[in-house]
Amino acid sequence: MRSRARHTIGRPARKIAGFSAAALVRHGLGEATDWPRVWRAHELERSYDVVIVGGGIHGLAAAYYLASRHGITNVAVLEKGYLGGGGSGRNTAIARSNYLTPEGVAFYDRSLKLYENLSAELNFNIMFSQRGHMTLAHNDSSLRTMRWRAEVNKLQGIESEVIGPEEIKRLAPPIDVSADTRFPILGALYHPPGGIIRHDAVVWGYARGADRYGVQLHQQTEVLGIETSGGQVQKVRTSRGDIATKTVLNCTAGWSSLINDMVGVRAPITTSPLQAAVTEPVKPFLDAVVVSGSLHVYVSQTARGELVFGASVDPFAQYSMRGSLDFIEGLAGNVLTLMPGLSKMRLLRQWGGLCDMTPDYSPLMGTTDVDGFLVDIGWGTYGFKAGPVSGEQMAELIATGRTPALIEPFGIGRFLAGRLVGEKGAASVGH
Ligand code: PYC
C-alpha cells in the first residue's frame, strides 16, 4: 500500500479566514489598527432558546449547526474559562474512524467526512493533514483485534488494512521493526484517511462561524445551577446572572458529572487525567501517526515539526490537570523502545487534560429523563475527533425533537438496558 498524505486545506483563496493577504501582512508588521475580533463579547440576555454549557469544540459545533442548518440562532454558549481551554485545546489532535463496532465506525466516519470539508465550510484553515494512522500490534491477540477492526471497517467502506513490518518501516522509517527488540512488531492496522488537525483552529473556526450567525459566546461565565419545575428545565444560574431557557445541552468534559448533578441526572462516568508532551521542533521525518496500544503511546509530528506524544489515561480518577515526572519517564522509555533514534530530542513541555470515561468506552449523547436537558458527554479520549459529528447530530436532535439514527446507540439509557457499545479495543491506546 502506498503512503498518501492528503492535506485538506479548503479552497485556495486570496482571503485567508476572511482577511486579505495585504491585511495579514500589515497585521504581522503591527500596523493593522482595524483588526476585527473573531467573535464578539455580549451582555448576558435574560433568556435564550438554547443554552449550551461548555465552550469547547462540541459546544461550539452544536451552536454552529443549530444556527447554520436549523436557523436557531437565539443560542448562548457558556464557558467558565476561555473557548477551547479544556479538552479541545489539550488533546493530541488525532482524527480517525477505524473503530471496532459498526456503530462507532459509522459515527466517526461521518465526523471525518465533516472534518474533510470543514476548512471550506468555515473558510478557516483547520490544517487537516490526512497522513495515515498506524496502530501497531506487538502480540497475537492485538493482531487479531487489528484484523477484526480491518474487517469491520472495510464492511463500511473505510480504508483500513493489516500491514506487516516491512510496510510499517516504509511508512514510518524511525520505527524499529527488528525482531530482537523488547516488544517486536508483528503488524499494524493501517488507516490512510486518519491524520492530525490543528485543534485550536477548529475551535476558532466554529466560534467565528457561530458568532456570524448571531450565536452569543460567553467566556468567563460559570454555570452555578440549573432549575427545573415539573421535570422541565426552566432556568440556568450563572456567575453573571440568571437565564430563562427550556433547553440546556451539557457539552462539558471533566465537569460533566457536576453539571448533570444540577438536575439529578446520573451517568456512569469517572474522570481521569490524560497527559501528553511535545518536543522541540525538528525537520519533518515522521509522516504517519503511530500508535502502540501495548506500549501505551502515540506519536505524531506537527506541521511545526514538534513531536507530540500521548499515552493512556492516568490509572486513577481525579480532577487534577498537572503533569507528572512518572508519566514523562514512562512515556520517554516507551517512545525510545519504538523509535530509538529519538534519544537526543528534547521535550519542551507536558500538560494534562480531563477525560470522562464510561464503562464501554463510548460516549453518551441524547435526551435525559429531565425534559429539555440533553447531554453530549462521556468523551473519554476520543472527543476531539467526534466534535463535528456530535455537534451536527445534537443540533438535529434539538431542532427536530427526534434522535438521529447515528447517535441512537449512544443514549444514556443503554446502561440500564444492557446495550453497551464496547469500544475498548479501539478507543485509543490500551487502557
Ligand atoms: O483515540 O485516536 C485516539 C486518541 C488519540 C489520543 C487519545 N485518543
PDB file of all heavy atoms in Angstrom, residues 91-96 98-99 133 274 291 298 310-311 380-383 385 426-429 431, ligand 1:
ATOM      1  N   ASN A  91      -5.927  18.086  23.647  1.00  0.00           N
ATOM      2  CA  ASN A  91      -5.831  16.747  23.050  1.00  0.00           C
ATOM      3  C   ASN A  91      -4.645  16.694  22.091  1.00  0.00           C
ATOM      4  O   ASN A  91      -3.995  17.704  21.828  1.00  0.00           O
ATOM      5  CB  ASN A  91      -7.137  16.413  22.326  1.00  0.00           C
ATOM      6  CG  ASN A  91      -7.371  17.355  21.178  1.00  0.00           C
ATOM      7  OD1 ASN A  91      -6.778  17.194  20.121  1.00  0.00           O
ATOM      8  ND2 ASN A  91      -8.190  18.378  21.377  1.00  0.00           N
ATOM      9  N   THR A  92      -4.385  15.495  21.562  1.00  0.00           N
ATOM     10  CA  THR A  92      -3.231  15.347  20.677  1.00  0.00           C
ATOM     11  C   THR A  92      -3.632  15.404  19.196  1.00  0.00           C
ATOM     12  O   THR A  92      -2.878  14.968  18.326  1.00  0.00           O
ATOM     13  CB  THR A  92      -2.462  14.056  21.007  1.00  0.00           C
ATOM     14  OG1 THR A  92      -3.404  13.003  21.189  1.00  0.00           O
ATOM     15  CG2 THR A  92      -1.648  14.213  22.265  1.00  0.00           C
ATOM     16  N   ALA A  93      -4.841  15.925  18.941  1.00  0.00           N
ATOM     17  CA  ALA A  93      -5.246  16.379  17.604  1.00  0.00           C
ATOM     18  C   ALA A  93      -5.350  15.266  16.555  1.00  0.00           C
ATOM     19  O   ALA A  93      -5.183  15.521  15.363  1.00  0.00           O
ATOM     20  CB  ALA A  93      -4.298  17.490  17.130  1.00  0.00           C
ATOM     21  N   ILE A  94      -5.619  14.052  17.001  1.00  0.00           N
ATOM     22  CA  ILE A  94      -5.682  12.920  16.063  1.00  0.00           C
ATOM     23  C   ILE A  94      -7.126  12.687  15.608  1.00  0.00           C
ATOM     24  O   ILE A  94      -8.056  12.754  16.409  1.00  0.00           O
ATOM     25  CB  ILE A  94      -5.131  11.636  16.729  1.00  0.00           C
ATOM     26  CG1 ILE A  94      -3.650  11.820  17.048  1.00  0.00           C
ATOM     27  CG2 ILE A  94      -5.368  10.409  15.851  1.00  0.00           C
ATOM     28  CD1 ILE A  94      -3.046  10.716  17.898  1.00  0.00           C
ATOM     29  N   ALA A  95      -7.278  12.428  14.307  1.00  0.00           N
ATOM     30  CA  ALA A  95      -8.604  12.094  13.773  1.00  0.00           C
ATOM     31  C   ALA A  95      -8.506  10.767  13.027  1.00  0.00           C
ATOM     32  O   ALA A  95      -7.523  10.513  12.322  1.00  0.00           O
ATOM     33  CB  ALA A  95      -9.094  13.180  12.840  1.00  0.00           C
ATOM     34  N   ARG A  96      -9.509   9.947  13.196  1.00  0.00           N
ATOM     35  CA  ARG A  96      -9.534   8.630  12.534  1.00  0.00           C
ATOM     36  C   ARG A  96     -10.933   8.054  12.679  1.00  0.00           C
ATOM     37  O   ARG A  96     -11.728   8.554  13.499  1.00  0.00           O
ATOM     38  CB  ARG A  96      -8.511   7.678  13.187  1.00  0.00           C
ATOM     39  CG  ARG A  96      -8.830   7.392  14.640  1.00  0.00           C
ATOM     40  CD  ARG A  96      -7.763   6.562  15.336  1.00  0.00           C
ATOM     41  NE  ARG A  96      -8.067   6.431  16.771  1.00  0.00           N
ATOM     42  CZ  ARG A  96      -8.764   5.450  17.300  1.00  0.00           C
ATOM     43  NH1 ARG A  96      -9.248   4.488  16.531  1.00  0.00           N
ATOM     44  NH2 ARG A  96      -9.006   5.411  18.600  1.00  0.00           N
ATOM     45  N   ASN A  98     -11.257   4.334  12.418  1.00  0.00           N
ATOM     46  CA  ASN A  98     -11.026   2.874  12.362  1.00  0.00           C
ATOM     47  C   ASN A  98     -11.439   2.184  13.665  1.00  0.00           C
ATOM     48  O   ASN A  98     -10.626   1.540  14.319  1.00  0.00           O
ATOM     49  CB  ASN A  98      -9.561   2.586  12.035  1.00  0.00           C
ATOM     50  CG  ASN A  98      -8.613   3.235  13.042  1.00  0.00           C
ATOM     51  OD1 ASN A  98      -9.046   4.002  13.889  1.00  0.00           O
ATOM     52  ND2 ASN A  98      -7.336   2.913  12.957  1.00  0.00           N
ATOM     53  N   TYR A  99     -12.698   2.314  14.008  1.00  0.00           N
ATOM     54  CA  TYR A  99     -13.170   1.779  15.292  1.00  0.00           C
ATOM     55  C   TYR A  99     -13.507   0.301  15.188  1.00  0.00           C
ATOM     56  O   TYR A  99     -13.250  -0.355  14.174  1.00  0.00           O
ATOM     57  CB  TYR A  99     -14.328   2.661  15.808  1.00  0.00           C
ATOM     58  CG  TYR A  99     -13.747   3.872  16.515  1.00  0.00           C
ATOM     59  CD1 TYR A  99     -13.157   4.904  15.791  1.00  0.00           C
ATOM     60  CD2 TYR A  99     -13.713   3.932  17.891  1.00  0.00           C
ATOM     61  CE1 TYR A  99     -12.572   5.979  16.432  1.00  0.00           C
ATOM     62  CE2 TYR A  99     -13.126   5.010  18.544  1.00  0.00           C
ATOM     63  CZ  TYR A  99     -12.556   6.019  17.808  1.00  0.00           C
ATOM     64  OH  TYR A  99     -11.960   7.073  18.447  1.00  0.00           O
ATOM     65  N   HIS A 133      -2.711   6.652   9.615  1.00  0.00           N
ATOM     66  CA  HIS A 133      -2.703   6.339  11.045  1.00  0.00           C
ATOM     67  C   HIS A 133      -2.402   4.846  11.181  1.00  0.00           C
ATOM     68  O   HIS A 133      -3.022   4.014  10.529  1.00  0.00           O
ATOM     69  CB  HIS A 133      -4.088   6.671  11.602  1.00  0.00           C
ATOM     70  CG  HIS A 133      -4.260   6.434  13.063  1.00  0.00           C
ATOM     71  ND1 HIS A 133      -4.443   5.172  13.592  1.00  0.00           N
ATOM     72  CD2 HIS A 133      -4.302   7.291  14.106  1.00  0.00           C
ATOM     73  CE1 HIS A 133      -4.578   5.280  14.898  1.00  0.00           C
ATOM     74  NE2 HIS A 133      -4.502   6.553  15.243  1.00  0.00           N
ATOM     75  N   LEU A 274      -5.467  12.747  31.444  1.00  0.00           N
ATOM     76  CA  LEU A 274      -4.680  12.160  30.352  1.00  0.00           C
ATOM     77  C   LEU A 274      -3.552  13.148  30.076  1.00  0.00           C
ATOM     78  O   LEU A 274      -3.800  14.332  29.873  1.00  0.00           O
ATOM     79  CB  LEU A 274      -5.551  11.995  29.102  1.00  0.00           C
ATOM     80  CG  LEU A 274      -4.867  11.521  27.822  1.00  0.00           C
ATOM     81  CD1 LEU A 274      -4.235  10.152  27.993  1.00  0.00           C
ATOM     82  CD2 LEU A 274      -5.874  11.455  26.678  1.00  0.00           C
ATOM     83  N   VAL A 291       0.674   4.618  16.688  1.00  0.00           N
ATOM     84  CA  VAL A 291       0.087   4.291  17.993  1.00  0.00           C
ATOM     85  C   VAL A 291       0.524   2.887  18.392  1.00  0.00           C
ATOM     86  O   VAL A 291       0.532   1.981  17.559  1.00  0.00           O
ATOM     87  CB  VAL A 291      -1.460   4.292  17.904  1.00  0.00           C
ATOM     88  CG1 VAL A 291      -2.076   3.974  19.263  1.00  0.00           C
ATOM     89  CG2 VAL A 291      -1.984   5.594  17.355  1.00  0.00           C
ATOM     90  N   TYR A 298       1.423   7.147  21.704  1.00  0.00           N
ATOM     91  CA  TYR A 298       1.203   7.529  20.312  1.00  0.00           C
ATOM     92  C   TYR A 298       2.073   8.728  19.997  1.00  0.00           C
ATOM     93  O   TYR A 298       2.356   9.563  20.859  1.00  0.00           O
ATOM     94  CB  TYR A 298      -0.266   7.804  19.982  1.00  0.00           C
ATOM     95  CG  TYR A 298      -1.065   8.424  21.086  1.00  0.00           C
ATOM     96  CD1 TYR A 298      -1.219   9.793  21.185  1.00  0.00           C
ATOM     97  CD2 TYR A 298      -1.668   7.612  22.040  1.00  0.00           C
ATOM     98  CE1 TYR A 298      -1.957  10.349  22.214  1.00  0.00           C
ATOM     99  CE2 TYR A 298      -2.404   8.165  23.071  1.00  0.00           C
ATOM    100  CZ  TYR A 298      -2.543   9.529  23.157  1.00  0.00           C
ATOM    101  OH  TYR A 298      -3.254  10.076  24.185  1.00  0.00           O
ATOM    102  N   GLY A 310       1.532  11.081  23.338  1.00  0.00           N
ATOM    103  CA  GLY A 310       0.448  10.903  24.302  1.00  0.00           C
ATOM    104  C   GLY A 310       0.489   9.501  24.858  1.00  0.00           C
ATOM    105  O   GLY A 310       1.282   8.661  24.417  1.00  0.00           O
ATOM    106  N   ALA A 311      -0.381   9.246  25.813  1.00  0.00           N
ATOM    107  CA  ALA A 311      -0.415   7.934  26.464  1.00  0.00           C
ATOM    108  C   ALA A 311      -1.868   7.592  26.765  1.00  0.00           C
ATOM    109  O   ALA A 311      -2.782   8.213  26.233  1.00  0.00           O
ATOM    110  CB  ALA A 311       0.410   7.989  27.742  1.00  0.00           C
ATOM    111  N   GLY A 380     -14.297  10.447  27.026  1.00  0.00           N
ATOM    112  CA  GLY A 380     -13.050   9.717  27.229  1.00  0.00           C
ATOM    113  C   GLY A 380     -11.878  10.365  26.515  1.00  0.00           C
ATOM    114  O   GLY A 380     -11.625  11.563  26.647  1.00  0.00           O
ATOM    115  N   THR A 381     -11.187   9.582  25.693  1.00  0.00           N
ATOM    116  CA  THR A 381     -10.017  10.087  24.972  1.00  0.00           C
ATOM    117  C   THR A 381     -10.311  10.262  23.470  1.00  0.00           C
ATOM    118  O   THR A 381      -9.407  10.232  22.648  1.00  0.00           O
ATOM    119  CB  THR A 381      -8.837   9.111  25.135  1.00  0.00           C
ATOM    120  OG1 THR A 381      -9.233   7.841  24.598  1.00  0.00           O
ATOM    121  CG2 THR A 381      -8.458   8.932  26.579  1.00  0.00           C
ATOM    122  N   TYR A 382     -11.592  10.413  23.122  1.00  0.00           N
ATOM    123  CA  TYR A 382     -11.951  10.404  21.693  1.00  0.00           C
ATOM    124  C   TYR A 382     -12.820  11.598  21.297  1.00  0.00           C
ATOM    125  O   TYR A 382     -13.422  11.600  20.231  1.00  0.00           O
ATOM    126  CB  TYR A 382     -12.670   9.087  21.323  1.00  0.00           C
ATOM    127  CG  TYR A 382     -13.117   8.299  22.526  1.00  0.00           C
ATOM    128  CD1 TYR A 382     -14.405   8.411  23.031  1.00  0.00           C
ATOM    129  CD2 TYR A 382     -12.205   7.484  23.216  1.00  0.00           C
ATOM    130  CE1 TYR A 382     -14.770   7.731  24.180  1.00  0.00           C
ATOM    131  CE2 TYR A 382     -12.579   6.805  24.370  1.00  0.00           C
ATOM    132  CZ  TYR A 382     -13.857   6.934  24.844  1.00  0.00           C
ATOM    133  OH  TYR A 382     -14.226   6.281  25.986  1.00  0.00           O
ATOM    134  N   GLY A 383     -12.885  12.606  22.174  1.00  0.00           N
ATOM    135  CA  GLY A 383     -13.804  13.719  21.934  1.00  0.00           C
ATOM    136  C   GLY A 383     -13.421  14.596  20.770  1.00  0.00           C
ATOM    137  O   GLY A 383     -14.286  15.061  20.016  1.00  0.00           O
ATOM    138  N   LYS A 385     -11.940  14.011  17.882  1.00  0.00           N
ATOM    139  CA  LYS A 385     -12.250  13.515  16.540  1.00  0.00           C
ATOM    140  C   LYS A 385     -13.760  13.504  16.275  1.00  0.00           C
ATOM    141  O   LYS A 385     -14.197  13.435  15.142  1.00  0.00           O
ATOM    142  CB  LYS A 385     -11.634  12.137  16.307  1.00  0.00           C
ATOM    143  CG  LYS A 385     -12.031  11.096  17.322  1.00  0.00           C
ATOM    144  CD  LYS A 385     -11.284   9.780  17.128  1.00  0.00           C
ATOM    145  CE  LYS A 385      -9.816   9.847  17.419  1.00  0.00           C
ATOM    146  NZ  LYS A 385      -9.408  10.342  18.711  1.00  0.00           N
ATOM    147  N   ALA A 426     -10.615  -0.317  20.551  1.00  0.00           N
ATOM    148  CA  ALA A 426     -10.250   0.645  19.507  1.00  0.00           C
ATOM    149  C   ALA A 426     -10.308   2.076  19.991  1.00  0.00           C
ATOM    150  O   ALA A 426     -10.030   3.002  19.234  1.00  0.00           O
ATOM    151  CB  ALA A 426     -11.177   0.496  18.312  1.00  0.00           C
ATOM    152  N   ALA A 427     -10.685   2.273  21.265  1.00  0.00           N
ATOM    153  CA  ALA A 427     -10.958   3.626  21.732  1.00  0.00           C
ATOM    154  C   ALA A 427      -9.723   4.497  21.651  1.00  0.00           C
ATOM    155  O   ALA A 427      -9.785   5.666  21.348  1.00  0.00           O
ATOM    156  CB  ALA A 427     -11.480   3.610  23.141  1.00  0.00           C
ATOM    157  N   SER A 428      -8.584   3.961  21.973  1.00  0.00           N
ATOM    158  CA  SER A 428      -7.368   4.753  21.967  1.00  0.00           C
ATOM    159  C   SER A 428      -6.235   3.770  22.140  1.00  0.00           C
ATOM    160  O   SER A 428      -6.287   2.661  21.665  1.00  0.00           O
ATOM    161  CB  SER A 428      -7.430   5.760  23.111  1.00  0.00           C
ATOM    162  OG  SER A 428      -6.211   6.415  23.210  1.00  0.00           O
ATOM    163  N   VAL A 429      -5.227   4.168  22.903  1.00  0.00           N
ATOM    164  CA  VAL A 429      -4.226   3.184  23.259  1.00  0.00           C
ATOM    165  C   VAL A 429      -4.806   2.320  24.365  1.00  0.00           C
ATOM    166  O   VAL A 429      -5.876   2.594  24.872  1.00  0.00           O
ATOM    167  CB  VAL A 429      -2.938   3.877  23.724  1.00  0.00           C
ATOM    168  CG1 VAL A 429      -2.346   4.669  22.602  1.00  0.00           C
ATOM    169  CG2 VAL A 429      -3.199   4.725  24.914  1.00  0.00           C
ATOM    170  N   HIS A 431      -6.070   0.764  27.673  1.00  0.00           N
ATOM    171  CA  HIS A 431      -6.419   1.389  28.949  1.00  0.00           C
ATOM    172  C   HIS A 431      -6.228   0.398  30.068  1.00  0.00           C
ATOM    173  O   HIS A 431      -6.348  -0.778  29.850  1.00  0.00           O
ATOM    174  CB  HIS A 431      -7.862   1.861  28.929  1.00  0.00           C
ATOM    175  CG  HIS A 431      -8.060   3.013  27.990  1.00  0.00           C
ATOM    176  ND1 HIS A 431      -7.621   4.270  28.255  1.00  0.00           N
ATOM    177  CD2 HIS A 431      -8.588   3.056  26.752  1.00  0.00           C
ATOM    178  CE1 HIS A 431      -7.914   5.052  27.245  1.00  0.00           C
ATOM    179  NE2 HIS A 431      -8.490   4.353  26.308  1.00  0.00           N
TER     180      HIS A 431
HETATM  181  O1  PYC B   1      -8.455   7.670  20.059  1.00  0.00           O
HETATM  182  O2  PYC B   1      -7.048   8.209  18.489  1.00  0.00           O
HETATM  183  C1  PYC B   1      -7.420   8.236  19.653  1.00  0.00           C
HETATM  184  C2  PYC B   1      -6.657   9.020  20.632  1.00  0.00           C
HETATM  185  C3  PYC B   1      -5.512   9.655  20.415  1.00  0.00           C
HETATM  186  C4  PYC B   1      -5.182  10.267  21.599  1.00  0.00           C
HETATM  187  C5  PYC B   1      -6.120   9.973  22.509  1.00  0.00           C
HETATM  188  N1  PYC B   1      -7.032   9.220  21.898  1.00  0.00           N
END
